Amino acid sequence: QVQLVESGGGLVQAGGSLRLSCAASGSSFSPFTFGWYRQAPGKERELVATINSDAITNYADSVKGRFTISRDKAKNTVYLQMNSLKPEDTAVYYCNARWFRHYWGQGTQVTVSS
């Protein structure tokens, strides 16, 4: 049973930083692609960043240059370093793991005050 547990969300002022973590368990995750998605109130869930098994990354245009996704294969953990945060980054952030099917974490709230 694959489980994804996010942590690291919270309240931060605009211009600040947060690091989200996603701890994965229940499988061998080497072939998985991991991603971070977010959903703001009244909006659809959107892709933030992904990292595949070869550590190739992909970012939404809105976060390029500010966010960095990384993974520690030994710890089965994926990170999202978020710098220069803006109020529009406020959302629930979800960890996603994908290999033949999608798995989701429960989400962690990120609130950026202006």
Side-chain angles (χ1 to χ4, degrees), residues 12-18 82-85:
V12 65
Q13 288 189 333
S17 299
L18 282 174
M82 305 186 294
N83 299 327
S84 302
L85 282 161

Side-chain angles (χ1 to χ4, degrees), residues 31-99:
F32 279 64
T33 290
F34 283 88
W36 287 96
Y37 290 71
R38 67 187 181 187
Q39 188 166 18
K43 295 188 177 181
E44 294 186 354
R45 191 172 298 190
E46 64 176 2
L47 172 69
V48 176
T50 61
I51 184 167
N52 70 7
S53 57
D54 294 323
I56 296 173
T57 59
N58 179 55
Y59 296 92
D61 287 343
S62 59
V63 306
K64 280 181 182 177
R66 300 188 298 122
F67 291 11
T68 302
I69 188 171
S70 61
R71 66 191 288 176
D72 184 332
K73 285 192 172 183
K75 294 183 178 179
N76 285 337
T77 301
V78 179
Y79 304 97
L80 184 69
Q81 178 66 44
M82 305 186 294
N83 299 327
S84 302
L85 282 161
K86 303 175 181 180
E88 50 263 45
D89 295 318
T90 295
V92 178
Y93 283 70
Y94 296 92
C95 180
N96 172 271
R98 172 170 55 86
W99 191 51

